[in-house]
Amino acid sequence: MYRRNIKQVLEFIGENPDREGLQATPDRVLRAYQNELFVGYKQKPEDLLTTFDAEGCDQIIISRGIEFFSMCEHHMLPFFGKAHVAYIPGDRVIGISKLARLVDIYARRLQIQERIGEQVTEALMRYLKPKGAACILEATHMCMKMRGVQKHDATMITSSVKGVFFTDEKARAELMSLIKV
C-alpha cells in the first residue's frame, strides 16, 4: 500500500514511476523514512538516558555543535543545523554522547525547530533531574530557501532553557558565553 502511495506521488509530479531510474524509488523512500529520516518515532528518551552518580559535580556540562537534521512538518522539507545542549547536574550525570542521541530522537520526526528544543530540555529535566537544562538550536530551513520567501542566507535560532538557566541570569550568561552562538 505505501509503495503504491509513493508511486502516486511520482505520477502527481509528472513522472513515470515505471521508468528504469524510478522503479526502485518507492522502496528506497520507504526504507529511508523507516530506518533513517523518521526513526525517532521508534525511540524513547527513557530507554536512552542511563544515569551515573554525579559525585558532587556542579559545573555546566555542554555538548556544543551537535549536527542534526529534521523534516519540517508543514512542508515535509528538510531543515538542519547545530544544537548546543547543556545541563547542570543534580545528583546524576549521563554520558556526553547521550545528549547528541537525545537531539536525534526528537529531530528524526516531522517537527518544528521550537518543539525539538522543548522536548530535549523537558526530557533532561524529567529523567535526569538536573538543576537546569538548555537546548539552543541554529538551523537552515529548506522551506525558506526552496519555496516561499526564498531567503537563502536566513537561519533560525531557538532556545529552550529550564531550571537555573531560566531563573538565574548569571547561569544563563555563563552558558551563553560558553556556547558563543
Side-chain angles (χ1 to χ4, degrees), residues 119-134:
Q119 289 172 321
V120 167
T121 56
E122 286 174 8
L124 287 171
M125 294 301 286
R126 180 175 181 186
Y127 298 108
L128 188 56
K129 302 195 183 335
K131 295 175 184 171

Side-chain angles (χ1 to χ4, degrees), residues 32-72:
Y33 280 11
Q34 186 174 41
N35 300 325
E36 296 166 316
L37 299 180
F38 302 114
V39 73
Y41 289 112
K42 298 177 184 177
Q43 301 169 326
K44 296 185 272 182
E46 58 267 30
D47 296 337
L48 168 79
L49 296 176
T50 52
T51 65
F52 307 95
D53 186 340
E55 298 179 18
C57 175
D58 64 355
Q59 61 192 317
I60 297 176
I61 297 171
I62 301 173
S63 183
R64 190 173 77 168
I66 300 167
E67 294 178 354
F68 76 93
F69 69 87
S70 191
M71 296 289 280
C72 165

Side-chain angles (χ1 to χ4, degrees), residues 156-175:
M156 180 174 172
I157 299 173
T158 56
S159 69
S160 174
V161 292
K162 309 277 186 217
V164 295
F165 291 130
F166 184 76
T167 60
D168 184 337
E169 287 182 38
K170 288 182 181 178
R172 186 170 46 255
E174 181 181 355
L175 168 70

Side-chain angles (χ1 to χ4, degrees), residues 126-165:
R126 180 175 181 186
Y127 298 108
L128 188 56
K129 302 195 183 335
K131 295 175 184 171
C135 182
I136 294 99
L137 299 112
E138 181 174 4
T140 299
H141 292 250
M142 295 309 290
C143 60
M144 289 274 293
K145 287 179 172 272
M146 296 174 66
R147 55 156 308 281
V149 297
Q150 297 185 12
K151 299 301 178 197
H152 301 283
D153 294 326
T155 58
M156 180 174 172
I157 299 173
T158 56
S159 69
S160 174
V161 292
K162 309 277 186 217
V164 295
F165 291 130

